Amino acid sequence: MTSTPVKDRAPAAPPRRPDTRVRRPPARRAADWLTAFSFTLPALLLFGALVLAPILYALYVSLFNWGGFGAPSDYVGLDNYRRLSHDPVFLGDLWRGLLLVLFSVCVQLPFALGMAVLLNQKLRGRALYRTLFFAPYVLSEVITGVLFSMIFAPDDGLADKVLDPVGLDGLGGLWFADQDHVLATLFLVMTWKYFGFHMMLYLAGLQQIPAELHEAARIDGASPWQRFRRITLPLLGPTVRISVFLSVIGAVQLFDLVWVLTQGGPDHHSETLAVTMFQFGFKRYQIGYASAISIAMFLISLVFALVYQRSVLRRDTEGALTTMRASR
């Protein structure tokens, strides 16, 4: 008996799953949109009144030569913005702001990260150390400025009295009155004030890293530096990126601490964009020019935020959006 060959048959197409989604009527969907809009309307009104309206008004005023009294009438167009491009004080503010950003990112944040890694270990009294290091951030900028103006007072301040007995009196002197040292002294105060905040951010991120990863790496013979480089730093990446973002924006908009300590002196060597804006707006009554400076600050912050989000925070935000969509 001979067997006849069986012709190859195309595989059957899998059965189509029935569409079990419930189609809501248009009236129901419109009601859902109306409900969502009613809940977001108060927030939108507050945002428009407290954020968008002041920005638009500052943009409008920046087109006038206005002293702040009466209605703006002397229209000058873009002259205030052209003045910015030639103002040595404004250009100096940009340079000093860049220096403060570099100091913050390259000195303050690594110091905060090192302290966070140290205080994440099993140390006696680490809760007390965490409280002491975070306490300066709780103080207001005005209190901090008054405190350090007394500490760095020439000849009679605590800093000079501490340095003199140990033979380091050459480091003291005119802390905030010397053009060559004022920015470094200001950054020292900024680090004392703000590093505790970033340290607590890093501590929160470190406590989210599973201890089993470090234990497995330790068993495999990895050194502490290798564990930090290969495990801690990559897993702490989202926290570090947020910390850098907050540090840069804070350095660009720094005002109250500088105003209390130096008011931008001596000879504009510690002045920032916010201090210059305040000087022109409320000391010289050049509201139009001060508004142009405020718009420049806003654009610098906005451009940095957009570029940073697209290039640095994109992976973090995409992961969050993917998780939210998957959980629906």
Side-chain angles (χ1 to χ4, degrees):
M1 182 176 180
T2 60
S3 60
T4 58
V6 180
K7 294 182 179 181
D8 296 336
R9 295 181 179 179
R16 299 182 61 182
R17 299 178 59 184
D19 190 0
T20 58
R21 292 180 297 177
V22 178
R23 299 289 184 178
R24 292 181 301 171
R28 178 62 178 173
R29 283 183 289 176
D32 292 343
W33 278 104
L34 184 61
T35 302
F37 179 74
S38 64
F39 278 106
T40 57
L41 182 59
L44 293 176
L45 291 177
L46 286 176
F47 181 79
L50 301 179
V51 178
L52 290 181
I55 292 174
L56 295 177
Y57 185 70
L59 181 62
Y60 170 74
V61 171
S62 67
L63 304 178
F64 292 85
N65 183 16
W66 185 46
F69 301 97
S73 58
D74 187 6
Y75 179 78
V76 295
L78 299 178
D79 286 352
N80 287 323
Y81 295 96
R82 297 189 188 97
R83 179 181 171 185
L84 286 178
S85 61
H86 302 289
D87 189 352
V89 176
F90 177 78
L91 298 177
D93 293 344
L94 295 178
W95 170 246
R96 285 183 291 272
L98 179 60
L99 288 179
L100 290 178
V101 167
L102 293 177
F103 287 158
S104 299
V105 173
C106 299
V107 179
Q108 177 178 307
L109 298 189
F111 177 66
L113 178 58
M115 294 302 300
V117 173
L118 179 63
L119 294 180
N120 196 44
Q121 309 298 321
K122 294 182 179 179
L123 300 175
R124 179 178 298 179
R126 62 178 181 175
L128 176 62
Y129 293 133
R130 292 175 183 178
T131 303
L132 291 176
F133 291 147
F134 184 71
Y137 180 73
V138 179
L139 296 177
S140 69
E141 281 74 5
V142 175
I143 294 176
T144 302
V146 173
L147 175 65
F148 276 93
S149 64
M150 295 186 293
I151 291 177
F152 289 115
D155 299 327
D156 196 31
L158 179 63
D160 288 342
K161 291 183 179 179
V162 170
L163 293 177
D164 287 345
V166 296
L168 298 177
D169 53 320
L171 298 177
L174 304 176
W175 298 94
F176 291 118
D178 187 86
Q179 297 180 1
D180 298 328
H181 299 143
V182 61
L183 200 62
T185 308
L186 178 63
F187 175 71
L188 181 64
V189 179
M190 287 175 54
T191 302
W192 181 88
K193 176 74 172 68
Y194 297 112
F195 96 95
F197 169 75
H198 297 281
M199 182 195 72
M200 296 302 292
L201 285 181
Y202 296 145
L203 273 172
L206 289 171
Q207 292 175 0
Q208 300 300 318
I209 300 176
E212 293 80 4
L213 296 178
H214 289 280
E215 186 64 26
R218 187 182 298 108
I219 294 175
D220 290 340
S223 64
W225 168 249
Q226 289 174 331
R227 295 196 301 270
F228 174 78
R229 181 183 176 187
R230 301 294 184 180
I231 299 176
T232 303
L233 202 55
L235 294 180
L236 201 62
T239 306
V240 172
R241 289 187 281 271
I242 290 296
S243 176
V244 170
F245 177 79
L246 295 176
S247 181
V248 172
I249 294 298
V252 171
Q253 300 177 353
L254 185 65
F255 168 73
D256 35 16
L257 192 61
V258 179
W259 183 257
V260 175
L261 286 171
T262 65
Q263 296 188 6
D267 194 22
H268 307 291
H269 276 72
S270 66
E271 201 160 303
T272 62
L273 289 172
V275 173
T276 302
M277 178 187 67
F278 185 85
Q279 290 276 15
F280 279 101
F282 297 96
K283 294 292 184 179
R284 305 181 187 180
Y285 297 102
Q286 300 180 22
I287 305 296
Y289 187 61
S291 299
I293 298 175
S294 68
I295 294 298
M297 287 179 56
F298 169 73
L299 292 178
I300 291 172
S301 302
L302 178 63
V303 170
F304 169 76
L306 294 177
V307 172
Y308 193 82
Q309 182 178 4
R310 291 285 297 177
S311 59
V312 180
L313 296 179
R314 185 175 184 178
R315 182 176 59 182
D316 301 332
T317 55
E318 284 180 350
L321 291 176
T322 303
T323 304
M324 291 174 62
R325 289 168 183 166
S327 63
R328 291 180 181 177

